[in-house]
Amino acid sequence: MKYQNFNQEIIELVGGKENIQAVVHCMTRLRFTLKDRSKADTEGLKALDGVIDVVSNQVAYQIIVGTHVSEVHKELTTMLGINDDAPTQQPKAKKNFVKAALDVVSESMTPILEPIICAGLLAAVLSILSLTGLISPESSTYIILDTLRSAVFYFLPIFMAMSCAKRLGANPYLAVALAVTILSDSINGVSGLTMFGIPLPEITYSNSFVPILLAVWVMGYVTKFIKRIVPNSLQLFLTPLLVMLIMLPATLLVFGPIGFYLGEGIIGIFTWLLDTVGAWFVMMLYAALQPFLIMLGAGNFIMPVVASLIAANGFDPAFITACTISDIAVGGAMLGYFLRTRNNKQKQLFGTVTLSAILGITEPAIYGVFVKYRRPFVAVIIGGGLGGLFAGITGVKAYSVAWGLFGLPSYIGEGDFSNLWFMVASVIISFVGAAVAAFLLGVPAEEDDSQEENAKSNQESEGKINLRTIPLKSVVKGQLVQLSEVSDQAFSSGALGKGVGLIPEADDIFSPVDGEVTVVFPTKHAVGIKGKNNEEVLIHIGIDTVELDGMGFDIDVQAGDQVKVGQKIGTVDFKSIKEAGYDTTTIVVVTNTNDYLDVIPETNRTVCDSDLSMNIIFE
């Protein structure tokens, strides 16, 4: 029992044996299901020698211990007396209905943001072309382009059906069939319809998301029930027919009316809030706090509300404006850090995430810098709050769903530029305010980092180190990003070793080194390889993909196999993983980084499997 004392301390600090309902593990962390999380001493666990970090979320209470987690887990379950026949299957966390609904909405919106953003930016381009007189609003060209913009929102139920079907256990094609049916001319917005003699209310399903979301949610349960009662030999013929015969009437009679009035109620609540409290307060609060929402994974939940507001009013009176102001404030905070720091490595990081934040992509800054330094949150609260307050007072409106610097033209009103100028002033206030605040707050631990960098530079200049390198190739074709930019704190902090992130553009996975496969996690989402120079490389495919239980992963090697650099070791269906709502970023780290002088990643760029991803430096 190598980890007996360590495990005994963990058991005591999580509240004792009686507080542990279940415990499983992934590649680096123990995932506890606790009966009462308030009994767990999180700070005590973080201070425990051998614990890298503790993460508590709706899925599980997670204690990150490193790549030897399987050994720790094996002894832990023995001490707990837990029958561990399936150690890799994650227990499903019990969620209340409201939390489950919020998760479904947020995760379902993520895959369909691209067409929504496209429509928003297209609206901005058309506004500019129309106001400058380059294209007449009555011309065929304008009408065709505007049709693309309007079609995205009109057919929102179809996008939502496809996006949430797999997440809710329904057949995506049957879900889309249901969506196109309720959008047909014979049903959508038609009055006087009856079904089985029951009058149907007049409902406009276009531009909505709640009715189809409720219908697909129930479709998942109906599908499972029918598959249990229909013989296997008749599944192909009877299951889709029975599902549709049940779901179409149920949607028109129940979920359609519920969803329609629920959607109207949501809009009414936000309209009341804006009318009574004021847009200035809503914008100020949301612009100041959006980074916290993104960090908690709730950044996309507001999108269905925004789509409904634009469909009902022709504009969004608060939220998209606040999103853009907050994003620009994040960029301002990173610029303040860029100007303040003297550390070259930090300058490179802050400069890179500054640009991405200004363009509307703030995750690299939030997960790579904000989580680590924390003070930027204060800077954004100051800058974003001031910008949001100004936008609210001046009544800025967003006429389409587009944020970031390139989304500003969408604030042009019909023949009126004043809305745009007020928005430009708002983002300037947020950017400057956050930059000044971040500069004054300073960069924590900067001096130590600078001293370490200078010492290393002096050592090299004096010729005291005769350097040799171990090159590591890319494991997948795609976009190489710095480890600090990935959205998993355990990896981005460098606690599990230095390395890189790769945003895949192909499905094949390759070995980065010559060596021996030491472990293939049963859910296939992670592979460990020990190179011929004793480098220990962990390939972690996707973030939180352990929850998929192997779905989409086809790994061709097993522990003990010898592999060559560039050898294909498996295939991953990244498209289905992304559609399921998971981040596909593939992380490659050298877990025994401390055994070497340094691990130096390549710069951000597009790489093929044969390209260099990082170098291990040793004497």
Side-chain angles (χ1 to χ4, degrees):
M1 299 287 284
K2 181 178 177 181
Y3 300 100
Q4 182 173 2
N5 293 335
F6 179 57
N7 280 326
Q8 187 59 48
E9 290 182 280
I10 288 178
I11 292 171
E12 293 174 1
L13 290 171
V14 298
K17 288 184 179 181
E18 63 279 1
N19 195 38
I20 301 173
Q21 183 175 329
V23 57
V24 295
H25 72 90
C26 66
M27 202 67 185
T28 59
R29 62 196 76 189
L30 298 167
R31 296 173 180 251
F32 286 85
T33 301
L34 301 178
K35 296 176 183 177
D36 184 358
R37 289 197 189 184
S38 64
K39 294 182 179 180
D41 182 358
T42 300
E43 294 305 316
L45 285 163
K46 288 182 178 180
L48 194 62
D49 187 23
V51 171
I52 296 171
D53 200 0
V54 178
V55 178
S56 179
N57 56 32
Q58 292 295 329
V59 176
Y61 190 84
Q62 305 173 51
I63 302 176
I64 304 168
V65 299
T67 53
H68 59 291
V69 65
S70 59
E71 300 174 38
V72 176
H73 177 264
K74 185 176 181 180
E75 293 186 14
L76 177 61
T77 53
T78 300
M79 294 172 65
L80 293 172
I82 295 176
N83 183 7
D84 193 33
D85 293 332
T88 64
Q89 291 185 0
Q90 176 149 334
K92 294 183 178 179
K94 294 181 179 179
K95 302 178 183 178
N96 59 52
F97 179 80
V98 175
K99 172 58 181 171
L102 294 178
D103 286 348
V104 169
V105 173
S106 179
E107 294 169 13
S108 298
M109 286 303 300
T110 300
I112 64 176
L113 282 179
E114 288 190 21
I116 290 177
I117 293 172
C118 171
L121 292 176
L122 181 58
V125 171
L126 289 174
S127 295
I128 295 173
L129 294 176
S130 173
L131 288 170
T132 55
L134 293 176
I135 297 180
S136 169
E138 287 75 33
S139 68
S140 298
T141 301
Y142 185 97
I143 293 172
I144 291 172
L145 292 175
D146 190 56
T147 300
L148 170 60
R149 177 200 60 78
S150 60
V152 170
F153 292 101
Y154 183 90
F155 293 107
L156 184 62
I158 297 177
F159 290 108
M160 182 62 77
M162 177 59 77
S163 177
C164 68
K166 289 184 179 179
R167 169 71 172 76
L168 298 174
N171 184 305
Y173 300 99
L174 291 181
V176 169
L178 181 62
V180 297
T181 300
I182 62 176
L183 286 174
S184 64
D185 291 339
S186 57
I187 295 177
N188 184 44
V190 176
S191 61
L193 295 177
T194 62
M195 192 163 199
F196 307 124
I198 303 173
L200 297 177
E202 180 183 345
I203 296 176
T204 300
Y205 291 97
S206 54
N207 299 292
S208 68
F209 75 97
V210 180
I212 194 65
L213 182 62
L214 292 175
V216 174
W217 197 331
V218 175
M219 180 185 281
Y221 291 103
V222 170
T223 301
K224 292 175 184 177
F225 173 75
I226 291 176
K227 284 185 175 180
R228 285 201 300 265
I229 63 174
V230 173
N232 290 336
S233 59
L234 299 176
Q235 289 275 359
L236 180 64
F237 306 101
L238 289 183
T239 298
L241 176 62
L242 292 175
V243 167
M244 294 303 288
L245 286 178
I246 293 172
M247 290 311 307
L248 180 58
T251 301
L252 297 177
L253 291 168
V254 181
F255 305 122
I258 291 176
F260 177 76
Y261 294 117
L262 183 59
E264 291 294 305
I266 292 173
I267 295 173
I269 290 172
F270 282 105
T271 301
W272 175 84
L273 184 63
L274 293 168
D275 291 341
T276 54
V277 180
W280 65 271
F281 180 79
V282 176
M283 285 195 194
M284 179 181 69
L285 190 65
Y286 198 86
L289 301 181
Q290 184 185 230
F292 292 100
L293 298 176
I294 292 174
M295 189 176 65
L296 295 172
N300 293 333
F301 173 67
I302 203 66
M303 294 307 299
V305 177
V306 170
S308 298
L309 287 169
I310 292 177
N313 306 321
F315 60 86
D316 165 29
F319 297 105
I320 289 297
T321 302
C323 288
T324 297
I325 291 171
S326 181
D327 290 346
I328 300 294
V330 170
M334 292 300 90
L335 178 64
Y337 266 20
F338 175 84
L339 296 174
R340 177 67 182 265
T341 185
R342 299 184 301 275
N343 185 299
N344 290 331
K345 186 182 294 184
Q346 288 182 337
K347 269 192 179 294
Q348 181 182 6
L349 170 62
F350 298 150
T352 300
V353 298
T354 295
L355 179 60
S356 65
I358 292 173
L359 296 177
I361 308 298
T362 57
E363 284 80 3
I366 290 171
Y367 290 108
V369 179
F370 280 49
V371 172
K372 180 179 180 181
Y373 295 116
R374 296 182 177 85
R375 293 183 189 179
F377 283 112
V378 179
V380 173
I381 289 174
I382 295 171
L386 290 174
L389 177 61
F390 181 83
I393 292 174
T394 54
V396 175
K397 300 178 180 64
Y399 293 103
S400 59
V401 181
W403 59 85
L405 191 63
F406 291 140
L408 292 181
S410 64
Y411 288 85
I412 300 174
E414 296 183 4
D416 180 15
F417 280 89
S418 60
N419 189 67
L420 172 64
W421 302 137
F422 284 134
M423 181 59 183
V424 171
S426 300
V427 298
I428 290 175
I429 291 171
S430 69
F431 184 80
V432 174
V436 171
F439 186 87
L440 295 176
L441 288 168
V443 185
E446 176 192 15
E447 186 177 347
D448 292 340
D449 290 344
S450 297
Q451 290 175 352
E452 181 183 347
E453 185 179 84
N454 292 334
K456 187 177 293 184
S457 175
N458 292 336
Q459 224 177 357
E460 291 175 0
S461 64
E462 293 172 8
K464 293 181 179 180
I465 303 176
N466 182 21
L467 300 180
R468 291 183 292 163
T469 64
I470 304 170
L472 268 68
K473 302 294 185 179
S474 175
V475 301
V476 66
K477 179 182 178 182
Q479 184 67 33
L480 186 148
V481 297
Q482 299 306 299
L483 197 62
S484 60
E485 298 178 28
V486 304
S487 59
D488 186 304
Q489 186 178 350
F491 286 105
S492 63
S493 65
L496 298 173
K498 294 185 177 182
V500 298
L502 293 155
I503 302 173
E505 296 176 358
D507 291 341
D508 293 336
I509 305 294
F510 302 89
S511 172
V513 293
D514 295 333
E516 178 183 346
V517 178
T518 55
V519 62
V520 176
F521 203 69
T523 53
K524 309 296 184 182
H525 77 290
V527 178
I529 301 175
K530 187 172 185 178
K532 61 182 181 181
N533 294 298
N534 294 320
E535 64 273 25
E536 297 173 4
V537 182
L538 171 63
I539 305 170
H540 195 282
I541 306 169
I543 295 173
D544 287 333
T545 46
V546 64
E547 300 168 12
L548 292 172
D549 200 23
M551 184 187 75
F553 296 90
D554 184 12
I555 302 300
D556 302 326
V557 294
Q558 55 187 359
D561 287 354
Q562 297 293 320
V563 292
K564 294 289 185 182
V565 61
Q567 175 184 333
K568 180 180 173 182
I569 61 174
T571 303
V572 179
D573 187 355
F574 285 112
K575 182 179 179 182
S576 67
I577 292 173
K578 190 173 183 179
E579 288 176 349
Y582 291 87
D583 186 337
T584 59
T585 302
T586 297
I587 303 164
V588 184
V589 294
V590 179
T591 57
N592 60 337
T593 292
N594 293 335
D595 293 345
Y596 303 95
L597 292 178
D598 205 352
V599 176
I600 302 177
E602 289 291 293
T603 56
N604 290 21
R605 60 191 177 91
T606 301
V607 293
C608 297
D609 55 275
S610 59
D611 291 337
L612 188 68
S613 66
M614 64 183 118
N615 276 300
I616 301 175
I617 311 299
F618 66 107
E619 293 187 46

